[in-house]
Amino acid sequence: MKANTARKYRLDPTGEQAERLTSWSHTCRAVWNTALAQRIWAYRSAQRKKLRAVEQCAELTEARREHDWLRDLPAQCAQQVLRQLDQAYDNFWNPDHPAGFPQFKGKRERQGITFPGQAIWVRRTGR
């Protein structure tokens, strides 16, 4: 059995690094909002199609070729945003879960970037 674990790390970035991390968090928010809008549109269309991360990852790959600002974000982070949106929908459709419908993210909300385990390298600098 594989256990999923999450860890939070406190970063002490330089000014340039902080600016890049902020840019990445805004890109993650844009990916979330765009993916959510696509899913709402696809479901409200005549076919009532339900999009998942697998289909949207293919579109994400195409969009990364066209847009520099999207290409700057590590691909695993953008894919993780789509997986998180899948989980938000799964929680919404689960009658035993109290989650509501996934919401669009605002610019002033709490920012964050999720890096899958294989996408980062952690180095200990102190105790």
Side-chain angles (χ1 to χ4, degrees):
M1 180 166 75
K2 184 177 180 181
N4 289 330
T5 60
R7 295 185 176 140
K8 289 186 179 183
Y9 294 97
R10 181 180 305 267
L11 300 177
D12 188 20
T14 65
E16 183 180 320
Q17 292 169 336
E19 185 178 313
R20 190 157 191 200
L21 288 170
T22 301
S23 171
W24 284 356
S25 69
H26 290 306
T27 303
C28 286
R29 179 179 48 85
V31 169
W32 173 280
N33 288 342
T34 302
L36 181 57
Q38 285 178 341
R39 289 180 186 208
I40 291 171
W41 180 83
Y43 188 77
R44 287 184 178 167
S45 67
Q47 300 143 349
R48 296 222 180 255
K49 183 178 180 182
K50 293 181 182 176
L51 291 177
R52 299 293 287 180
V54 176
E55 296 101 9
Q56 288 184 309
C57 278
E59 294 177 16
L60 181 63
T61 303
E62 292 177 24
R64 287 175 58 83
R65 289 188 194 117
E66 298 174 14
H67 303 288
D68 291 335
W69 60 272
L70 192 55
R71 197 175 314 122
D72 184 47
L73 179 70
Q76 297 89 353
C77 296
Q79 292 166 358
Q80 191 65 31
V81 169
L82 297 177
R83 287 188 204 102
Q84 290 170 342
L85 187 55
D86 274 356
Q87 187 61 51
Y89 266 94
D90 291 343
N91 291 342
F92 170 69
W93 290 113
N94 182 356
D96 298 330
H97 200 283
F101 189 78
Q103 299 294 311
F104 290 99
K105 295 186 184 248
K107 187 175 184 178
R108 305 239 185 257
E109 291 182 30
R110 193 171 134 204
Q111 299 176 8
I113 308 164
T114 303
F115 291 94
Q118 73 274 12
I120 61 170
W121 177 67
V122 179
R123 177 179 53 165
R124 184 175 289 204
T125 59
R127 288 219 262 185

